[in-house]
Amino acid sequence: MTGGGFWTMGGYAAYVWPAYAVTTLALIALLLGALRGLRQAERELATLEGSRARRRAPSASAAGDLA
Amino acid sequence: MHRFANPARFLRIITAILPWSAGASAALLPLGLYFALIGSPPDYQQGDSVRIMYVHVPAAWMALAVYSVMAASGAVALVWRHPVAELVAQAAAPIGAVFTAMCLITGSLWGQPMWGTWWVWDARLTSVLVLLFLYLGYIALVNAFDDPTRGARAGAVLALVGLVNLPIIKFSVDWWNTLHQPASVARLGGPSIDPQMLLPLFTMAGGFAAFFVTVLILRVRAELLRRKLRVLRLAQAQG
Amino acid sequence: MTRKRRRLYLLLAGLASLAVATTLVLLALQSNLAFFYSPSEVAAQGVPEARRFRLGGLVEPDSVKRQADGVTVEFRVTDTRASLPVRYKGVLPDLFREGQGVVAEGMLQGGVFQASEVLAKHDENYMPPEVAKALKASGRWKEGEGK
Amino acid sequence: MSAFVAVLARDLRLGLRHGADLAMVVIFFVLAALLFPFGVGPEANLLARIAAGVVWVTALLAAMLSLDRLFHADYEDGSLDQLALSPAPLAVIVLAKATAHWLTTGLPLIAVAPALGLMLRLDPAGFAPLLLAMLVGTPCLSLFGAIGAALTLGARRGGALVALVVLPLVLPVLIFGVGAVEAEVTGLGAQPHLLVLGALLAAALPLAPLAAALALRQALESA
Amino acid sequence: MAKTDLDRGRHKLNQRSDPRQSFDSGSFAGAGLACVRGDRLLFRGLGFVVKPGDALVLTGPNGSGKSSLLRLMAGLLAPAAGHLTWAGRPVEANREAQRGRVRWLGHLDAVKPTLTVRETLALHGRLHGAGADPAAALDDALGALGIGALADTPGRQLSAGQRRRVALARLLVAPAPLWLLDEPTVGLDDAGFAAFGAVAAAHRAAGGAIVAATHSDLGLGDARRLTLADFAPSAAELEAAA
């Protein structure tokens, strides 16, 4: 660091910090958005497969009763 | 290779890549940030405002690179009709749009103190703005159809048509006398940037690229799951 | 056979069309298609008064004069062959200095370019101050190379 | 070649029999352009400065409006299937339809442009470059528009989507079209701008029909 | 996967048609065909052979892919798997020639409200290169479908059945060996139905072939049937594909 110190950015703090803030926020938003989409799809898939398992389950228990 | 082929192999490959790309971005981004904000010197003319370059330029590179990835996957989707290529193009578009917007915003924050204006209609800025509109048009087009395949194919054609904009962006600063300065890194005669400044630039660029791959994989995986959901629901409805 | 021949003709017509496009672009790029015009172009074309355009070039060394009011600045913009006086009232960008690139928007009035906006154009060189000093000291500095 | 002529003749005939639709595009053009004196005030200097831009932007929007005519009706009534199944290359048919579109919308727009220029107080030196630029530039609008119209066939929200897809592609036409007039009025000469417009047209002439044909095939796949 | 589909297709093919039939010259054939619309697999492992003079009727419930199979045969839709051949050569080798051999009648009539019947058919003749005397061919076509009196009537004044007749007349304006018809008799009255029967018989007698999708009887006599339900994937297969 030369010049006016870390936080003042040599007088360009009003431009440098927003630029980095925008970048950081955008990257975080991208990552969170992707993760949320993935989680949601996983959850829906789990629900669907759960309902199918339930549909199969009664017939299995009926067979068990017979035995 | 069929549309109804199981994309399991592709899923295995991207799952294997994911930890590496995630690790690379987790290592490179903080390192790049350190170099960019603390470990590199100010510019002889621009002072500390030059530090905006370390996010602005990698964002610009990614904006172009992601579009190339999108157009290439679009071409693969059209020629070989591979469903995975459609998914990759679709998943890449929003990421590219964010990088393009990031490039424009950070560029504006750099232009105000250095050039004396937030925005100017010169060839470089205008062509990057057109790139952003192409991304947005692509996203709107892909989502405008009830049949996801139709959307993906239409998007692929648009991505290919928009490819003509990339050389215009790259060479706009050489062909026209713009306010934007000419290329500093990819130019004949080597970079005109001091090595101490190239280091943070390349570290950040590497971090951005790894980050893009990571998010792309996450989004493609979500898309694959959604497709599986649709097919399962159809199967359920029929059987 | 006729199908192949027709294909060939269509292909040739397409290629010819693209060749024409390339030629036209190259022709257009020979003249200035520009964001801004240089002082010598302005002189050669005889730009009339009171027409808005952008003027670009280098700030002529030792030509910058600040008026008494503190906000009006006068300087000359040069492209080494011709130069034009510029008057501007307002805040100058940080990079505005003598010998540096500048783009001004405005119009000619009485032979003086009345600028309503002055933008600094910087070159593609980035280096720390010490390196710049060392380069200047060793005489390897190429002034105004980036234009 | 005969396929080109046949489709061109058919589309011209169809266009002329729907004369009211054509008139609507021209009326929109005139009306939209004449909103500007009310919007920005009737001061002659101000109008003169924006005249070329207003004429070009409204011409662009008018052309956008007419684009859904290009393929949509044929797609809806099955004619596009028949055209796509004729032995002629689909790109040739697209070129014919784009040509018909230009003849029925581009030419009328050019015809009324001088009147608009007068009412918007365009500098007398600007008329020739405006008309020349429109003569070269409006075919580009029809050609790029064909790509957009083909891409959006069968989409849920057609109109706005076509504009979103096509406008970024035709931005260069607008830039150089307006640039030609401004350069001429400033005394710097319209020629380089007109050359670029010519280059755009020469490049679009073979490439746009190919891209539009590709897009049409995709649209027909899911018809 | 492609290989097994293909084999299964051949197997079915041999079961349901004359075993002597192979992909011999002059015939139009498909093997191992699969079709996906959206995310939905409509059919797979489908094979067929159409020879000169043949009529093949596609049947199956709504949504089983009859229209899609016709579009696939026409080349408007690319198969997700399998291939089509004409006289033993793949149709992709020369798509333009294939388009010249096929006449298409979709479920839409492609009749413009402002064009007269004659104009509509004349365009079709010019696009497909009608024979030596296009005007005569056009008049013959109009006569065969019983719409000679409507020649100069604009499309908007035609009834649904009359429009269907115009669409059928398109098949005759420029002759081609293969007709692909999607519900050709929809909206036709008895006279129209009879006219279609006569036209179809003449086409087959001259060595032409017909593939038609329908829910009703077309009166095509000795037509063979292809039931699409036989090629529908099972629920288990659909789930496996996910």
Side-chain angles (χ1 to χ4, degrees), chain E residues 104-196:
Chain E
W104 169 259
L105 174 78
H107 62 102
L108 296 165
D109 295 319
V111 173
K112 291 279 171 199
T114 48
L115 292 185
T116 66
V117 171
R118 191 184 294 281
E119 285 165 344
T120 304
L121 296 178
L123 170 81
H124 190 74
R126 284 181 72 184
L127 282 178
H128 285 278
D133 190 352
L138 208 157
D139 286 333
D140 289 349
L142 289 174
L145 271 306
I147 44 174
L150 299 173
D152 296 311
T153 312
R156 81 176 95 81
Q157 291 174 14
L158 299 176
S159 73
Q162 287 169 332
R163 278 204 301 272
R164 201 61 180 160
R165 290 193 196 201
V166 175
L168 282 166
R170 202 179 266 128
L171 298 168
L172 305 175
V173 170
L178 177 64
W179 290 0
L180 301 173
L181 316 175
D182 197 351
E183 294 285 2
T185 57
V186 153
L188 290 182
D189 56 11
D190 289 346
F193 191 84
F196 167 70

Side-chain angles (χ1 to χ4, degrees), chain B residues 2 4 147 149 228 230 234 238, chain E residues 1-2 38-40 80 238 242:
Chain B
H2 307 146
F4 51 94
D147 173 359
T149 317
K228 184 172 174 175
R230 288 196 301 264
L234 271 170
Q238 280 183 348
Chain E
M1 187 135 187
D39 292 308
R40 214 173 108 189
L238 285 177

Side-chain angles (χ1 to χ4, degrees), chain B residues 44-45 115 176 178 192 194, chain C residues 33 100 120-121 124 126-127:
Chain B
Y44 74 114
Q45 280 190 324
W115 296 344
W176 292 282
T178 53
S192 58
D194 191 86
Chain C
L33 226 193
Q100 274 290 309
K121 178 171 164 60
E124 69 273 37
Y126 300 85
M127 65 190 89

Side-chain angles (χ1 to χ4, degrees), chain B residues 6-19 221 224:
Chain B
N6 202 329
R9 207 164 74 98
F10 180 74
L11 198 60
R12 270 203 308 282
I13 295 172
I14 61 171
T15 313
I17 297 175
L18 185 61
R221 256 169 62 172
L224 279 170

Side-chain angles (χ1 to χ4, degrees), chain E residues 34 48 66 71 131 202 213 223 235 241:
Chain E
F48 68 88
K66 296 186 298 294
R71 292 184 80 81

